[in-house]
């Protein structure tokens, strides 16, 4: 157990978050081991994205503790979380339609010249091209506004932006949502590659059980703002996950009927 | 926020003459259409009236154009961030009066300039705070400060004009030697002059043009090649996403409000110094603001945020100046002037929208 604790790059302890009358997270506990890929499942509105935003420093928790690499932290802002190696691919991607591919890839981590801090566009373009090639994303032109790209291409850029950053704790909020089968497989392959290299730890939110069982070391299920299920992937199955979620749904319906 | 997500289409074959293809390339720029429209207007008036393309007339044109170019550039930085500043009219009026008041305290001209620009910046900071932190729409906030600061100007000036310190005109008589038919004759001539400060800040013939071009060049580089510019676009294009990416949205907004107000105050001082006197004319101040916003908009900057161009604002201001000057030169009566200007603005906007659609390749839908 002590060994487990030391292995955790991230611990979320008793974190709660309310939005007015809605309780998005209630005393949630979650941990992420070094080099592990953790799959996070849950219904719409279960609180998955809220948890990611809190870990990424974008939103503040109402209460609870967050421990990053053994040290308790209270994030001041996104930059603070990023300086600790945490980076998030948000569900809404956080791309700026009016900026081009290169500018979006380097948004908030621009390279600038010296002594006059002007954007080092040529260098950023070269690095963008290299990064996209390395991952295997094919985007013919880098100088077009991302508004003109397809949903899948946009998602690929958002993922590439985070994966090629310095971050070693990577949060992926439904990275496959807009992807076709082939592009989705490419992202899963990318996650697989990172998993084999073992340098980064990943939390991946997905709705597809098969994807999660394929690409993750461990599965967490979040229901009503709490983790209700936590097992290594080899010990669970599509049937079991399905059973739990469907059971939950049936129970809720019976309760509604009883009222 | 409107976004159009198109699939990238193959580059169209560029055929035709070289001039044709470079014109097409110009039109693919955001500011391309207003540049073309402005050139057409200049050609039109040059052909129509031989006096248009004279040095004397170009000097007449400058005050119709240079001050508005600077004001419009400030407005562009705000509009790209998705906000607007209507209060620039009043700040433009208020700042030279503060300059005057500081001078009354016995401060030197340069200190007066800095102090009065700080006052302008304070108005911008207030606008920014109320918009970015309190969360009131900038249209409402700056409508409030437009009236409030206008009223404040009337109070501190007692609604009376003042002479601009440092812009006093001194006349002296000098002997000038002319050569007429090979004979030298020396005649007395009256020469007016103003101090060095005034010549730099508005009274010199090319002073306002110099400042306008300087502001345009610097802010063009800022908007297109600096972090500040990129964050401004991000804040206007996708505010939530910008914040998620870690951009300090409020800081950027407040900074741009301050910039806009300081530029407006600076133009106020240039204009007051040029005229050597300043009248607390709040109606005229509002009109100045409308002209500046028009220049920014017809230059190709969207009110919705995310897109805009500093070069376009320069040409928007030039276009309005050329129209005013050209029509005045033609002897068009003042009664018709605004009517024609209004129609010209609408026409220029239609061309902008059309060219914009072609540029984005989204067809004619
Ligand atoms: N900024 C906000 N303001 C108010 N309520 C919010 C806000 N963000 C989230 N919520 C609420 O908190 C709850 C959890 O939302 P969250 O986005 O975390 O769900 P999710 O698990 O990511 O769902 P999905 O699978 O649909 O993405 C929902 O009821 C949502 O309406
Ligand atoms: Mg979500």
């Amino acid at each position: 157990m002590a060994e487990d604790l030391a292995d955790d790059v991230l611990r979320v302890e008793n974190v709660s978050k309310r939005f007015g009358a809605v309780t998005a997270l209630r005393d949630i506990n979650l941990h992420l081991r070094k080099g592990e890929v953790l799959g996070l499942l849950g219904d719409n509105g279960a609180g998955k994205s809220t948890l990611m935003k809190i870990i990424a420093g974008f939103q503040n928790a109402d209460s609870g503790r967050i421990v990053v690499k053994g040290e308790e932290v209270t994030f001041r802002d996104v930059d603070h979380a990023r300086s600790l190696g945490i980076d998030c691919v948000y569900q809404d991607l956080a791309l700026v339609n009016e900026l081009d591919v290169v500018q979006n890839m380097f948004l908030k981590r621009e390279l600038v010249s010296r002594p006059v801090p002007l954007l080092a566009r040529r260098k950023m373009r070269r690095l963008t091209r290299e990064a996209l090639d390395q991952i295997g994303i094919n985007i013919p032109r880098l100088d077009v506004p991302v508004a003109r790209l397809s949903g899948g291409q946009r998602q690929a850029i958002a993922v590439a932006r985070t994966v090629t950053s310095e971050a070693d704790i990577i949060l992926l909020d439904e990275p496959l949502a807009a992807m076709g089968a082939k592009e989705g497989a490419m992202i899963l392959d990318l996650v697989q590659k990172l998993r084999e290299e073992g340098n980064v730890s990943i939390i991946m939110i997905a709705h597809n059980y098969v994807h999660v069982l394929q690409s993750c070391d461990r599965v967490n299920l979040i229901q009503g703002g709490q983790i209700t299920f936590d097992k290594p992937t080899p010990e669970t199955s599509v049937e079991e996950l399905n059973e739990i979620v469907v059971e939950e749904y049936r129970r809720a319906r019976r309760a509604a009927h009883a009222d | 926020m409107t976004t159009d997500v198109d699939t990238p289409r193959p580059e169209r074959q560029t055929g035709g003459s070289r001039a044709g293809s470079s014109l097409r390339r110009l039109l693919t720029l955001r500011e391309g259409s207003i540049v073309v429209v402005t050139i057409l207007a200049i050609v039109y008036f040059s052909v129509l009236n031989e006096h248009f393309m004279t040095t004397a007339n170009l000097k007449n044109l400058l005050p119709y154009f240079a001050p508005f170019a600077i004001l419009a550039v400030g407005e562009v930085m705000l509009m790209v961030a998705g906000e607007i500043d209507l209060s620039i009219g009043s700040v433009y009026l208020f700042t030279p009066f503060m300059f005057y008041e500081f001078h009354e305290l016995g401060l030197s001209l340069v200190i007066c300039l800095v102090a009065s620009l700080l006052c302008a910046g304070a108005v911008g900071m207030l606008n920014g705070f109320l918009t970015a932190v309190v969360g009131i729409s900038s249209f409402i906030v700056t409508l409030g400060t437009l009236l409030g600061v206008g009223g404040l100007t009337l109070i501190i000036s007692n609604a009376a004009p003042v002479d601009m310190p440092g812009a006093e005109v001194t006349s002296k008589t000098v002997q000038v030697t002319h050569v007429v038919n090979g004979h030298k004759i020396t005649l007395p001539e009256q020469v007016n002059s103003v101090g060095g400060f005034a010549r730099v800040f508005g009274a010199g013939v090319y002073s306002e043009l110099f400042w306008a071009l300087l502001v345009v060049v610097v802010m063009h580089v800022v908007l297109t090649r600096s972090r500040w510019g990129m964050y401004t676009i991000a804040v206007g294009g996708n505010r939530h996403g910008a914040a998620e990416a870690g951009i300090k949205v409020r800081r950027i907004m407040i900074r741009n409000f301050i910039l806009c107000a300081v530029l407006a105050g600076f133009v106020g001082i240039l204009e007051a110094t040029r005229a050597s006197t300043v009248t607390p004319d709040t109606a005229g101040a509002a009109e100045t603001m409308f002209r500046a916003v028009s220049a920014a908009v017809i230059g190709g900057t969207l009110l919705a945020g995310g897109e805009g161009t500093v070069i376009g604002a320069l040409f928007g201001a030039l276009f309005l100046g050329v129209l005013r000057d050209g029509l005045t030169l033609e002897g068009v009566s003042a009664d018709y002037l605004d009517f024609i200007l209004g129609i010209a603005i609408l026409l220029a906007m239609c061309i902008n929208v059309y060219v914009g659609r072609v540029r984005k390749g989204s067809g004619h839908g």
Side-chain angles (χ1 to χ4, degrees), chain A residues 234-251:
Chain A
E235 294 170 24
T236 184
S237 63
V238 173
E239 290 72 28
E240 187 185 15
L241 291 169
N242 208 22
E243 178 66 21
I244 294 168
V245 173
V246 171
E247 265 315 301
E248 162 76 10
Y249 169 71
R250 293 221 176 100
R251 257 201 314 272

PDB file of all heavy atoms in Angstrom, chain A residues 234-251:
ATOM      1  N   PRO A 234      -7.654  -6.030 -16.929  1.00  0.00           N
ATOM      2  CA  PRO A 234      -7.710  -7.481 -17.122  1.00  0.00           C
ATOM      3  C   PRO A 234      -8.769  -8.149 -16.243  1.00  0.00           C
ATOM      4  O   PRO A 234      -9.218  -9.258 -16.550  1.00  0.00           O
ATOM      5  CB  PRO A 234      -6.313  -7.953 -16.705  1.00  0.00           C
ATOM      6  CG  PRO A 234      -5.452  -6.755 -16.830  1.00  0.00           C
ATOM      7  CD  PRO A 234      -6.314  -5.588 -16.528  1.00  0.00           C
ATOM      8  N   GLU A 235      -9.151  -7.495 -15.150  1.00  0.00           N
ATOM      9  CA  GLU A 235     -10.091  -8.123 -14.218  1.00  0.00           C
ATOM     10  C   GLU A 235     -11.550  -7.797 -14.503  1.00  0.00           C
ATOM     11  O   GLU A 235     -12.437  -8.168 -13.754  1.00  0.00           O
ATOM     12  CB  GLU A 235      -9.758  -7.702 -12.775  1.00  0.00           C
ATOM     13  CG  GLU A 235      -8.420  -8.241 -12.317  1.00  0.00           C
ATOM     14  CD  GLU A 235      -7.972  -7.640 -11.000  1.00  0.00           C
ATOM     15  OE1 GLU A 235      -8.865  -7.188 -10.235  1.00  0.00           O
ATOM     16  OE2 GLU A 235      -6.755  -7.593 -10.757  1.00  0.00           O
ATOM     17  N   THR A 236     -11.782  -7.013 -15.555  1.00  0.00           N
ATOM     18  CA  THR A 236     -13.171  -6.680 -15.856  1.00  0.00           C
ATOM     19  C   THR A 236     -13.463  -6.943 -17.330  1.00  0.00           C
ATOM     20  O   THR A 236     -12.594  -7.388 -18.079  1.00  0.00           O
ATOM     21  CB  THR A 236     -13.489  -5.224 -15.473  1.00  0.00           C
ATOM     22  OG1 THR A 236     -14.875  -4.995 -15.692  1.00  0.00           O
ATOM     23  CG2 THR A 236     -12.682  -4.242 -16.283  1.00  0.00           C
ATOM     24  N   SER A 237     -14.694  -6.701 -17.730  1.00  0.00           N
ATOM     25  CA  SER A 237     -15.083  -7.003 -19.101  1.00  0.00           C
ATOM     26  C   SER A 237     -16.196  -6.069 -19.527  1.00  0.00           C
ATOM     27  O   SER A 237     -16.797  -5.379 -18.700  1.00  0.00           O
ATOM     28  CB  SER A 237     -15.601  -8.444 -19.168  1.00  0.00           C
ATOM     29  OG  SER A 237     -16.754  -8.533 -18.357  1.00  0.00           O
ATOM     30  N   VAL A 238     -16.449  -6.041 -20.802  1.00  0.00           N
ATOM     31  CA  VAL A 238     -17.539  -5.233 -21.329  1.00  0.00           C
ATOM     32  C   VAL A 238     -18.836  -5.591 -20.616  1.00  0.00           C
ATOM     33  O   VAL A 238     -19.612  -4.720 -20.227  1.00  0.00           O
ATOM     34  CB  VAL A 238     -17.692  -5.446 -22.849  1.00  0.00           C
ATOM     35  CG1 VAL A 238     -18.926  -4.730 -23.371  1.00  0.00           C
ATOM     36  CG2 VAL A 238     -16.457  -4.968 -23.588  1.00  0.00           C
ATOM     37  N   GLU A 239     -19.034  -6.920 -20.416  1.00  0.00           N
ATOM     38  CA  GLU A 239     -20.280  -7.376 -19.805  1.00  0.00           C
ATOM     39  C   GLU A 239     -20.435  -6.795 -18.402  1.00  0.00           C
ATOM     40  O   GLU A 239     -21.492  -6.298 -18.037  1.00  0.00           O
ATOM     41  CB  GLU A 239     -20.329  -8.910 -19.739  1.00  0.00           C
ATOM     42  CG  GLU A 239     -20.493  -9.601 -21.077  1.00  0.00           C
ATOM     43  CD  GLU A 239     -19.224  -9.535 -21.929  1.00  0.00           C
ATOM     44  OE1 GLU A 239     -18.113  -9.460 -21.352  1.00  0.00           O
ATOM     45  OE2 GLU A 239     -19.342  -9.520 -23.173  1.00  0.00           O
ATOM     46  N   GLU A 240     -19.330  -6.856 -17.625  1.00  0.00           N
ATOM     47  CA  GLU A 240     -19.414  -6.371 -16.248  1.00  0.00           C
ATOM     48  C   GLU A 240     -19.728  -4.870 -16.218  1.00  0.00           C
ATOM     49  O   GLU A 240     -20.601  -4.423 -15.481  1.00  0.00           O
ATOM     50  CB  GLU A 240     -18.108  -6.641 -15.502  1.00  0.00           C
ATOM     51  CG  GLU A 240     -18.228  -6.300 -14.018  1.00  0.00           C
ATOM     52  CD  GLU A 240     -16.906  -6.435 -13.257  1.00  0.00           C
ATOM     53  OE1 GLU A 240     -15.837  -6.519 -13.902  1.00  0.00           O
ATOM     54  OE2 GLU A 240     -16.963  -6.444 -12.023  1.00  0.00           O
ATOM     55  N   LEU A 241     -19.002  -4.106 -17.038  1.00  0.00           N
ATOM     56  CA  LEU A 241     -19.212  -2.657 -17.064  1.00  0.00           C
ATOM     57  C   LEU A 241     -20.639  -2.341 -17.471  1.00  0.00           C
ATOM     58  O   LEU A 241     -21.324  -1.517 -16.861  1.00  0.00           O
ATOM     59  CB  LEU A 241     -18.225  -2.004 -18.036  1.00  0.00           C
ATOM     60  CG  LEU A 241     -16.763  -2.036 -17.596  1.00  0.00           C
ATOM     61  CD1 LEU A 241     -15.857  -1.611 -18.729  1.00  0.00           C
ATOM     62  CD2 LEU A 241     -16.554  -1.147 -16.377  1.00  0.00           C
ATOM     63  N   ASN A 242     -21.073  -3.012 -18.500  1.00  0.00           N
ATOM     64  CA  ASN A 242     -22.422  -2.823 -19.003  1.00  0.00           C
ATOM     65  C   ASN A 242     -23.447  -3.124 -17.908  1.00  0.00           C
ATOM     66  O   ASN A 242     -24.383  -2.368 -17.677  1.00  0.00           O
ATOM     67  CB  ASN A 242     -22.634  -3.749 -20.195  1.00  0.00           C
ATOM     68  CG  ASN A 242     -23.644  -3.169 -21.154  1.00  0.00           C
ATOM     69  OD1 ASN A 242     -23.867  -1.961 -21.140  1.00  0.00           O
ATOM     70  ND2 ASN A 242     -24.256  -4.011 -21.957  1.00  0.00           N
ATOM     71  N   GLU A 243     -23.200  -4.233 -17.228  1.00  0.00           N
ATOM     72  CA  GLU A 243     -24.083  -4.682 -16.166  1.00  0.00           C
ATOM     73  C   GLU A 243     -24.239  -3.594 -15.093  1.00  0.00           C
ATOM     74  O   GLU A 243     -25.351  -3.235 -14.700  1.00  0.00           O
ATOM     75  CB  GLU A 243     -23.495  -5.968 -15.560  1.00  0.00           C
ATOM     76  CG  GLU A 243     -24.269  -6.545 -14.392  1.00  0.00           C
ATOM     77  CD  GLU A 243     -25.650  -7.029 -14.814  1.00  0.00           C
ATOM     78  OE1 GLU A 243     -25.844  -7.292 -16.016  1.00  0.00           O
ATOM     79  OE2 GLU A 243     -26.526  -7.112 -13.944  1.00  0.00           O
ATOM     80  N   ILE A 244     -23.084  -3.024 -14.661  1.00  0.00           N
ATOM     81  CA  ILE A 244     -23.114  -2.017 -13.600  1.00  0.00           C
ATOM     82  C   ILE A 244     -23.906  -0.785 -14.029  1.00  0.00           C
ATOM     83  O   ILE A 244     -24.774  -0.295 -13.322  1.00  0.00           O
ATOM     84  CB  ILE A 244     -21.682  -1.600 -13.215  1.00  0.00           C
ATOM     85  CG1 ILE A 244     -20.960  -2.780 -12.586  1.00  0.00           C
ATOM     86  CG2 ILE A 244     -21.691  -0.431 -12.254  1.00  0.00           C
ATOM     87  CD1 ILE A 244     -19.483  -2.560 -12.444  1.00  0.00           C
ATOM     88  N   VAL A 245     -23.592  -0.328 -15.246  1.00  0.00           N
ATOM     89  CA  VAL A 245     -24.242   0.897 -15.718  1.00  0.00           C
ATOM     90  C   VAL A 245     -25.737   0.660 -15.907  1.00  0.00           C
ATOM     91  O   VAL A 245     -26.567   1.472 -15.500  1.00  0.00           O
ATOM     92  CB  VAL A 245     -23.590   1.386 -17.026  1.00  0.00           C
ATOM     93  CG1 VAL A 245     -24.370   2.549 -17.609  1.00  0.00           C
ATOM     94  CG2 VAL A 245     -22.148   1.792 -16.761  1.00  0.00           C
ATOM     95  N   VAL A 246     -26.068  -0.479 -16.505  1.00  0.00           N
ATOM     96  CA  VAL A 246     -27.477  -0.766 -16.760  1.00  0.00           C
ATOM     97  C   VAL A 246     -28.218  -0.979 -15.444  1.00  0.00           C
ATOM     98  O   VAL A 246     -29.341  -0.512 -15.268  1.00  0.00           O
ATOM     99  CB  VAL A 246     -27.620  -1.984 -17.700  1.00  0.00           C
ATOM    100  CG1 VAL A 246     -29.070  -2.419 -17.801  1.00  0.00           C
ATOM    101  CG2 VAL A 246     -27.087  -1.631 -19.077  1.00  0.00           C
ATOM    102  N   GLU A 247     -27.524  -1.678 -14.503  1.00  0.00           N
ATOM    103  CA  GLU A 247     -28.132  -1.885 -13.186  1.00  0.00           C
ATOM    104  C   GLU A 247     -28.478  -0.557 -12.527  1.00  0.00           C
ATOM    105  O   GLU A 247     -29.572  -0.355 -12.014  1.00  0.00           O
ATOM    106  CB  GLU A 247     -27.173  -2.670 -12.274  1.00  0.00           C
ATOM    107  CG  GLU A 247     -27.424  -4.156 -12.258  1.00  0.00           C
ATOM    108  CD  GLU A 247     -28.896  -4.479 -12.123  1.00  0.00           C
ATOM    109  OE1 GLU A 247     -29.508  -4.061 -11.116  1.00  0.00           O
ATOM    110  OE2 GLU A 247     -29.455  -5.135 -13.027  1.00  0.00           O
ATOM    111  N   GLU A 248     -27.482   0.338 -12.598  1.00  0.00           N
ATOM    112  CA  GLU A 248     -27.662   1.686 -12.030  1.00  0.00           C
ATOM    113  C   GLU A 248     -28.912   2.343 -12.623  1.00  0.00           C
ATOM    114  O   GLU A 248     -29.756   2.881 -11.931  1.00  0.00           O
ATOM    115  CB  GLU A 248     -26.404   2.510 -12.344  1.00  0.00           C
ATOM    116  CG  GLU A 248     -26.552   4.017 -12.229  1.00  0.00           C
ATOM    117  CD  GLU A 248     -26.574   4.479 -10.780  1.00  0.00           C
ATOM    118  OE1 GLU A 248     -26.288   3.650  -9.872  1.00  0.00           O
ATOM    119  OE2 GLU A 248     -26.882   5.652 -10.557  1.00  0.00           O
ATOM    120  N   TYR A 249     -29.009   2.224 -13.943  1.00  0.00           N
ATOM    121  CA  TYR A 249     -30.126   2.825 -14.659  1.00  0.00           C
ATOM    122  C   TYR A 249     -31.459   2.201 -14.222  1.00  0.00           C
ATOM    123  O   TYR A 249     -32.431   2.889 -13.938  1.00  0.00           O
ATOM    124  CB  TYR A 249     -29.903   2.636 -16.166  1.00  0.00           C
ATOM    125  CG  TYR A 249     -31.090   2.981 -17.020  1.00  0.00           C
ATOM    126  CD1 TYR A 249     -31.491   4.301 -17.194  1.00  0.00           C
ATOM    127  CD2 TYR A 249     -31.813   1.968 -17.665  1.00  0.00           C
ATOM    128  CE1 TYR A 249     -32.581   4.601 -17.985  1.00  0.00           C
ATOM    129  CE2 TYR A 249     -32.899   2.267 -18.457  1.00  0.00           C
ATOM    130  CZ  TYR A 249     -33.282   3.585 -18.607  1.00  0.00           C
ATOM    131  OH  TYR A 249     -34.358   3.881 -19.382  1.00  0.00           O
ATOM    132  N   ARG A 250     -31.451   0.865 -14.090  1.00  0.00           N
ATOM    133  CA  ARG A 250     -32.686   0.171 -13.694  1.00  0.00           C
ATOM    134  C   ARG A 250     -33.097   0.572 -12.285  1.00  0.00           C
ATOM    135  O   ARG A 250     -34.261   0.844 -12.023  1.00  0.00           O
ATOM    136  CB  ARG A 250     -32.468  -1.349 -13.733  1.00  0.00           C
ATOM    137  CG  ARG A 250     -32.257  -1.864 -15.151  1.00  0.00           C
ATOM    138  CD  ARG A 250     -32.996  -3.167 -15.387  1.00  0.00           C
ATOM    139  NE  ARG A 250     -32.834  -3.575 -16.777  1.00  0.00           N
ATOM    140  CZ  ARG A 250     -31.958  -4.486 -17.175  1.00  0.00           C
ATOM    141  NH1 ARG A 250     -31.198  -5.121 -16.300  1.00  0.00           N
ATOM    142  NH2 ARG A 250     -31.865  -4.776 -18.445  1.00  0.00           N
ATOM    143  N   ARG A 251     -32.066   0.617 -11.386  1.00  0.00           N
ATOM    144  CA  ARG A 251     -32.354   1.004 -10.007  1.00  0.00           C
ATOM    145  C   ARG A 251     -32.988   2.392  -9.963  1.00  0.00           C
ATOM    146  O   ARG A 251     -33.979   2.621  -9.305  1.00  0.00           O
ATOM    147  CB  ARG A 251     -31.066   1.019  -9.181  1.00  0.00           C
ATOM    148  CG  ARG A 251     -30.903  -0.208  -8.251  1.00  0.00           C
ATOM    149  CD  ARG A 251     -29.932   0.108  -7.132  1.00  0.00           C
ATOM    150  NE  ARG A 251     -28.710   0.765  -7.601  1.00  0.00           N
ATOM    151  CZ  ARG A 251     -27.609   0.130  -8.024  1.00  0.00           C
ATOM    152  NH1 ARG A 251     -27.558  -1.157  -8.006  1.00  0.00           N
ATOM    153  NH2 ARG A 251     -26.564   0.788  -8.449  1.00  0.00           N
TER     154      ARG A 251
END
